[in-house]
Amino acid sequence: MKLAVEFPSVAYRQGPAAVADLARAIERIGYDHIDIFDHVVMGVPIEGRPRGPYNAQMPILEALTALGYVAAVTHRVTLGTEVLVLPQRQPALVAKQVSTLDTLSGGRVRLGVGVGWQESEYEALGEGFHTRGARMDDAIRLLRAYWTDAEVSFESAHYPTLSMAMEPKPPQGGRLPIWIGGSSEAAYRRVGRLGDGWLASRVTDPASAREAIEAIHRHAEAAGRDPASIGLQSMVAPPPRDAAGKTFYANHDAVVARVAALEAMGFGWVALNATAIFQAGARSVAAITGELERLHDRLRAEVG
């Protein structure tokens, strides 16, 4: 089982050194991967705007910038986003940012992408919300073209490109893994056809997990791909939305049991949400580090 940590932006409140200390600690403890959550701006609840799942004042560090900082203080752990809302960003710029991050981290990047849910965020960034699915597919293909080809020409209704070059290429080249989040049939189709892995966040039971994985595999086979080559990662628990959810990580027995259950469902990766660990009572970087260390030791001993 590969163990990831979704990095808590709230660590910034103790200063830049605390962010670096936590990143180094995650690597030292033995976790395999660090993911960073992405939202650029959050919509404040107003009349006519649906209320989102998160407090609009929730602190969220910009994902790619934060990963550059984390890369500079780590050496082994791989680095990614969970998930970058790709269609609200300009894909040529994302290709350059990710290539630079992969170059300066020594080839440690795994890009996680999704279409997002927040229409007001798209509006604030000047991008269309209702075309995000089609633009996502084109953006993924364009990223890979920039990471692979010396000269890029790309036919697209959304991102037409004629004879452009981008250097440096990432050390991983076009093989730089792109994992895709989402829990809709469109997301499963996208993972199966275009993704190197699925980032699940709201798996509730073995039956729904089996249906999703079977759908991904079906779409992979239809695209002539090997379903076994597609990785599977799940959050250990969905982002907490109620009092019970906010105490989940305080119960280590429940966390270990949940990881074992996810492994039985077929997931080779799980991600522990360090922001939820903060919400469960670990209110400092030192406390979060202690919880992550204890959980890591139990998971390695009892799950593998």
Side-chain angles (χ1 to χ4, degrees):
M1 175 67 74
K2 295 288 189 179
L3 301 178
V5 174
E6 184 162 306
F7 198 89
S9 285
V10 70
Y12 91 93
R13 291 176 177 168
Q14 289 182 247
V19 173
D21 287 346
L22 182 55
R24 282 190 289 255
I26 291 168
E27 181 170 76
R28 172 186 57 77
I29 290 166
Y31 284 94
D32 299 292
H33 182 80
I34 293 173
D35 272 324
I36 293 188
F37 183 61
D38 173 50
H39 279 292
V40 178
V41 289
M42 299 296 290
V44 175
I46 58 174
E47 184 177 354
R49 176 183 290 167
R51 179 176 291 275
Y54 308 113
N55 185 326
Q57 277 72 44
M58 176 182 178
I60 304 172
L61 294 173
E62 197 286 314
L64 297 175
T65 308
L67 284 173
Y69 186 74
V70 169
V73 298
T74 57
H75 304 282
R76 173 192 56 81
V77 69
T78 55
L79 309 166
T81 49
E82 202 286 334
V83 291
L84 194 80
V85 186
L86 182 57
Q88 68 185 19
R89 295 177 179 240
Q90 209 291 327
L93 178 58
V94 172
K96 185 71 164 186
Q97 291 168 317
V98 173
S99 179
T100 299
L101 180 61
D102 199 52
T103 297
L104 297 181
S105 69
R108 290 189 282 143
V109 176
R110 182 189 79 182
L111 180 64
V113 296
V115 298
W117 52 269
Q118 187 175 208
E119 186 169 1
S120 61
E121 185 174 17
Y122 273 83
E123 292 171 351
L125 293 170
E127 296 291 345
F129 181 73
H130 298 289
T131 60
R132 67 195 191 282
R135 289 189 294 107
M136 173 80 146
D137 293 347
D138 278 4
I140 290 170
R141 294 184 176 99
L142 184 55
L143 293 179
R144 289 200 169 117
Y146 272 119
W147 296 337
T148 303
D149 300 340
E151 182 177 331
V152 175
S153 291
F154 186 74
E155 293 187 9
S156 165
H158 308 289
Y159 309 117
T161 304
L162 179 63
S163 295
M164 301 303 293
M166 189 200 78
E167 296 292 340
K169 300 286 189 261
Q172 298 181 84
R175 296 176 295 102
L176 192 153
I178 299 176
W179 287 40
I180 299 170
S183 56
S184 66
E185 185 62 28
Y188 305 150
R189 181 173 61 252
R190 189 170 291 119
V191 175
R193 293 180 178 179
L194 298 173
D196 297 298
W198 179 40
L199 295 169
S201 62
R202 300 196 178 278
V203 170
T204 56
D205 59 84
S208 63
R210 184 173 57 254
E211 289 177 6
I213 293 168
E214 287 176 352
I216 289 167
H217 288 177
R218 184 170 63 252
H219 290 299
E221 289 170 349
R225 303 182 66 207
D226 178 8
S229 69
I230 298 174
L232 301 170
Q233 174 175 306
S234 176
M235 295 291 289
V236 174
R241 297 186 180 183
D242 55 27
K246 290 179 180 179
T247 63
F248 171 77
Y249 278 98
N251 183 342
H252 289 195
D253 289 341
V255 175
V256 173
R258 174 66 172 163
V259 171
L262 288 167
E263 183 181 46
M265 293 178 205
F267 290 94
W269 292 70
V270 294
L272 284 73
N273 186 336
T275 300
I277 291 173
F278 170 85
Q279 292 173 320
R283 307 297 287 184
S284 68
V285 164
I288 292 169
T289 299
E291 289 292 285
L292 286 171
E293 188 154 19
R294 287 184 286 273
L295 283 166
H296 177 272
D297 290 348
R298 284 201 58 182
L299 289 169
R300 288 296 183 222
E302 300 178 39
V303 180

